[in-house]
Amino acid sequence: MQDSAPPPEPQENGVVADAYSRNWVDLYAPAATRPYLRLSRADRPIGTWLLLIPCWWGLSLVMLYDGQTSWGDLWIFVSCGIGAFLMRGAGCTWNDITDRDIDAQVARTRSRPIPAGQVSVKGAAVWMTIQALISFAILLTYNAAAIRLGVLALIPVAIYPFAKRFTWWPQVFLGLAFNWGALLAWTAHTGRLDAPAVVLYLAGIAWTLFYDTIYAHQDTEDDALIGVKSTARLFGENTNHWLRRFLVATVGLMGIAVIFSTVNSVSVPALGAAIVGPWAMGWHMAWQLRGLDIHNSDKMLQLFRVNRDTGIIPLLFFGLALLL
């Protein structure tokens, strides 16, 4: 029989254990809003970046693909940022509702607002609904194809929190959800979904397997005790070898997406600039592997967080290609 979980460890002013030190929520947000902002991970912005970056990949590549830019693309760029913040918040709230009993048994997550008693399940559900409705209002400003695609995104979002209960590969479901923006931004620009966007989406999933396996290594001991599955537990001491495979898949698939998007539509210098993006991203991922220590939780969190820069690197080269 499962032993009852120990009470949540007290955190100063309700601060979550793995939040950024001196983040804006803990420093400046009104006290009454802090538990809800923490529920949305506003004190941990890396997840918003990881959700947003594939959107910007898709938008950049589709503008190279058809050679068309407009003021509407500026709105797609901005609205993706707003939507990423809101949908990441809604998704994390849903995750914390479904995982509240598991979170209470894991040292790193025990201080989250629901298991710590800062927010009720009902309050969290209301907060999730508010964020989702605002996101839906933004989605309605897109074309019909993008709206349908945006609604479909709810399927992997809904499934993900349960994946670690039935598969050793829950990171695949996270990848399906977190990289949907590559498809959505592409479709919001063109009104249709083309093959390069799908290949880019697959590249993003491989990248998610890379960074979220790193992230999951923080909890392997607790996960083993309570029976939660993850690629970190599955790979164990072979993690480095698997991460190299995900690195190769990310770079290779993104390279194919870039070639398909640019080979018939841009100048040779622009094609060269764009194709350097995946290569440079791969070097940054390889740098992470050199510092990998799966038995050092602090190091794994540090490496996970630098993946914001990993994802921005190809975006810089895509932007340069648009200027050439």
Side-chain angles (χ1 to χ4, degrees):
M1 186 177 197
Q2 179 70 49
D3 293 337
S4 59
E9 296 176 0
Q11 297 286 328
E12 183 181 358
N13 297 322
V15 174
V16 177
D18 58 353
Y20 288 83
S21 63
R22 299 184 61 79
N23 64 80
W24 72 273
V25 172
D26 297 334
L27 290 177
Y28 305 117
T33 68
R34 290 175 188 169
Y36 294 94
L37 291 171
R38 290 167 183 149
L39 198 60
S40 297
R41 310 289 199 272
D43 55 344
R44 285 155 284 169
I46 179 60
T48 299
W49 280 108
L50 296 176
L51 187 61
L52 172 59
I53 287 169
C55 302
W56 286 350
W57 288 350
L59 180 60
S60 300
L61 282 188
V62 74
M63 289 191 290
L64 289 168
Y65 180 72
D66 66 5
Q68 303 294 319
T69 58
S70 69
W71 286 108
D73 294 318
L74 179 60
W75 168 243
I76 296 172
F77 181 88
V78 172
S79 62
C80 281
I82 301 170
F85 178 83
L86 290 168
M87 281 308 296
R88 190 261 183 138
C92 287
T93 304
W94 169 242
N95 185 80
D96 283 10
I97 290 172
T98 60
D99 280 359
R100 58 190 183 275
D101 295 330
I102 292 175
D103 286 346
Q105 300 177 67
V106 176
R108 184 180 58 84
T109 59
R110 198 173 294 149
S111 56
R112 287 179 176 174
I114 296 178
Q118 299 173 31
V119 178
S120 67
V121 173
K122 181 179 179 180
V126 171
W127 178 236
M128 176 185 68
T129 302
I130 291 171
Q131 295 172 96
L133 287 175
I134 298 172
S135 298
F136 184 64
I138 293 173
L139 181 65
L140 291 177
T141 66
Y142 293 168
N143 57 59
I147 292 172
R148 290 193 293 269
L149 199 60
V151 173
L152 284 175
L154 295 176
I155 296 174
V157 171
I159 294 173
Y160 168 66
F162 302 100
K164 56 183 167 286
R165 295 163 168 84
F166 64 80
T167 178
W168 287 100
W169 294 81
Q171 281 68 26
V172 171
F173 289 88
L174 182 67
L176 291 170
F178 256 57
N179 295 281
W180 201 272
L183 306 176
L184 183 62
W186 184 289
T187 306
H189 174 90
T190 62
R192 66 182 187 277
L193 189 58
D194 299 295
V198 177
V199 179
L200 181 66
Y201 179 57
L202 295 175
I205 293 172
W207 179 44
T208 301
L209 281 162
F210 179 90
Y211 66 66
D212 204 61
T213 297
I214 292 174
Y215 183 79
H217 265 289
Q218 298 175 88
D219 301 326
T220 50
E221 291 184 6
D222 286 335
D223 287 349
L225 289 173
I226 60 180
V228 169
K229 299 178 174 67
S230 71
T231 50
R233 286 190 61 207
L234 178 65
F235 302 154
E237 296 297 330
N238 291 320
T239 291
N240 190 287
H241 300 297
W242 278 95
L243 294 184
R244 290 185 186 279
R245 294 171 185 173
F246 298 144
L247 185 163
V248 171
T250 302
V251 174
L253 288 166
M254 186 179 288
I256 293 170
V258 169
I259 292 171
F260 283 176
S261 300
T262 59
V263 68
N264 295 318
S265 58
V266 302
S267 66
V268 172
L271 172 60
I275 202 65
V276 169
W279 177 82
M281 180 180 182
W283 275 107
H284 196 267
M285 294 168 74
W287 168 79
Q288 291 181 53
L289 289 180
R290 287 198 292 272
L292 194 73
D293 182 356
I294 64 172
H295 302 294
N296 184 334
S297 294
D298 291 339
K299 182 64 175 179
M300 300 305 275
L301 179 59
Q302 178 190 7
L303 290 176
F304 166 72
R305 286 175 171 173
V306 302
N307 275 277
R308 179 200 64 177
D309 300 337
T310 309
I312 288 176
I313 287 171
L315 189 64
L316 296 175
F317 287 95
F318 299 162
L320 176 59
L322 286 167
L323 297 175
L324 296 174

